[in-house]
Amino acid sequence: MSPNKREAKLTKGVLESLRPETKPYPVWDTQLSGFYVRVSPKGKLTFYLKCSARNRQYNKSIGTYPHLHPDTARSEALRRKIAIDSGDYKRKPDATFGDVMSGYADTLLARGAADAANTRRHIVNHIETPFPFLWSKRAIEITPEDCVDIVRRLIKAEKLRTADIIRSYMYSAFELAITADPNKADSMPLLRMSNPAKMKPVRGAIKPRERHLSESELRHLWRRIQSLEFPKKQIFSLWILTGAQRQQQLARVTTNNIHELNIPGTGRCFGLELTDTKGRTGRARSHMVPLTPASRNITKELAQSGWMIFSTNGVESIEPNWLTRQLKPIVSSMKDAGELEGEPFTAGAVRSTVETLLGKYGVSREDRGHLQSHGNSGVQAMHYDRHDYAGQKLAALEIWESLLEKTQ
């Protein structure tokens, strides 16, 4: 290597000898002009191709080492270099699989989808990282076999639910890419191709949610929650008192989302405004959850720490799966104490319990649906029904709270 420009034939041995420095630096390949590896301060090795054509400079990521062998990366860089030199390298036809998936995540973010960040993490962890060559492959060259390989990797690891989620992401991303839509994010490419990710759902990925808590189990859970320290006690209590709303929606609630409601016959009442993006349209809509006096007091306690309500420090929101993780040791303690009547349960089972027990005590299916924000779909709800159902939600929550307070 020269003192001013680091050069070497990029081989496995050379790459493994490179050490990170305080600033990123390139090591240029002596076999192919413009091909180099970039060493980040954290030691990440990323292959790039740098070249120019028609007064335009191209600097394209090829993939990372060791997921991509240097010979494979060099071959891909050469293919791209030839395409650029011949004038065939145009943005839309040459959009990569990574462009399609990243554009999909950007579109969800632009729509205000609550799970946009989680979607991007899934894409990075289960597509970009384990399949760097496919990630940099031209989208129009992606085959059904490529998509099946990505899904089968997760099936072999017995991650059936994740496998089906990734299948759904790929299908939705390509549908966005091949359908002309002025509402897409700017980073979403437009392709002329059929959808290569069209495949059957993963068998066994989605199971009917049969587990719910008995009234006895519910009260044991409530009692254990009341023995927790601040703010875990308050976060769990507010989650359950408000009807076990979706964790991703609660994680975004701030003091600005507390509003005074006008519910006839109830006096002064407040509610938490959640943002719901569930459903086929992907449009964010308001989901107002009334607060009983007990949940209102807990909200005040949490708000004293900062502007984020569901937070351990008032500043940073809990992660979307925080309740799921924190619930595990509580359930284990219940199991050890013989308080479970069935198998260990998850946060989803608590949500099912709300619907099941409220149904048992006479709350209509429609009102339960509005309370848990899965009853507002269809043409009628979208265009004509403008009632907020706050009174019905509050009545349901009062019944729910009375169940928690019952003694055995």
Side-chain angles (χ1 to χ4, degrees), residues 96-99 101-102 123 127-128 131-137:
T96 65
F97 181 33
D99 293 332
M101 298 309 303
S102 296
I123 290 172
I127 300 179
E128 181 180 6
F131 296 95
F133 183 70
L134 290 181
W135 185 261
S136 61
K137 187 176 180 179

Side-chain angles (χ1 to χ4, degrees), residues 196-216:
K198 187 176 182 179
M199 66 184 88
K200 292 183 178 180
V202 175
R203 188 181 300 114
I206 301 178
K207 300 178 181 179
R209 185 171 287 165
E210 299 178 352
R211 178 69 162 109
H212 66 274
L213 279 65
S214 68
E215 292 184 53
S216 175

